[in-house]
Amino acid sequence: MDFIQNIDLAAVFIQFAVLIFSLSIHEAAHAWTADRLGDGTARGLGRISLNPVRHVDPIGTLLFPILQIAAGVPVIGWAKPVPVNPTRLRNPRVDQMGISLAGPGSNLLTAAIALAVLVLLKIGSADAGALITNMAVTMSIPRGQGVMAMVVGLLVYLMVVNLALALFNMIPIPPLDGHWLLYGLLPDSAGKLLARAGAFGILILYGLMFLGIFRYLFVPIYWILEALIDI
């Protein structure tokens, strides 16, 4: 009961909503890029969509974030991978790398838009600026502050979660996008070893989470939040 009472349920709900939305953007970007590069497999499965039902993965979208809440670390995760048929790609090795980069790239773009709106709000309104500073320091939505507090909270989480997803997905461990980049850069023999290690990828990610390694992903995000406070 103490654990539940110590959780900011409103913040957790908004983080989950932002996470699912951001993962949908991420996977839709993969699917769209694959389609543009010649593989319409994902399009045929309806994956070029922001509908989260198309992308939810029981482990990466639900279980993994719940475990992170229990461990007291920021919420990140992954969605159901977009299927890619390399035989349909014009240049499979290079194109697969481009498809992999599209997901984190879409998250960086989303985070940049959220940050730009926050900067404009902070410059344009003293009240919004105070809320943004408070949110950047505490990462919790101030209660009793009305609609503006919810808007600021949503934008801050949108920025933080998308930056975290971009950084998280660049880790070169299956099923994350970074392993496809590494696979494309490695010689064939080393690439086959990486592919065989993929069966242990989720276990490795769980281990890194409980060791607290993922906290280091948030160091650049803390720098951005500090810069936002100083504006």
Side-chain angles (χ1 to χ4, degrees), residues 73 207-216:
V73 298
L208 292 175
M209 180 187 71
F210 285 111
L211 288 173
I213 302 300
F214 292 154
R215 293 181 185 276
Y216 293 103

Side-chain angles (χ1 to χ4, degrees), residues 108-216:
L108 287 176
L109 177 60
T110 303
I113 293 171
L115 177 59
V117 175
L118 285 168
V119 170
L120 291 175
L121 284 174
K122 198 167 192 298
I123 292 172
S125 168
D127 291 340
L131 287 169
I132 291 168
T133 297
N134 181 283
M135 182 77 186
V137 172
T138 66
M139 289 307 296
S140 62
I141 300 172
R143 298 181 180 181
Q145 298 295 315
V147 175
M148 180 57 74
M150 297 300 292
V151 171
V152 167
L154 182 63
L155 287 169
V156 170
Y157 284 135
L158 195 63
M159 180 188 71
V160 170
V161 169
N162 276 277
L163 284 173
L165 282 176
L167 294 170
F168 177 65
N169 274 280
M170 292 308 294
I171 298 174
I173 297 173
L176 304 180
D177 298 321
H179 99 277
W180 286 111
L181 295 176
L182 184 59
Y183 184 82
L185 295 171
L186 289 172
D188 289 341
S189 56
K192 289 177 182 178
L193 287 174
L194 179 63
R196 284 199 290 270
F200 304 100
I202 291 178
L203 293 176
I204 294 171
L205 289 173
Y206 281 144
L208 292 175
M209 180 187 71
F210 285 111
L211 288 173
I213 302 300
F214 292 154
R215 293 181 185 276
Y216 293 103

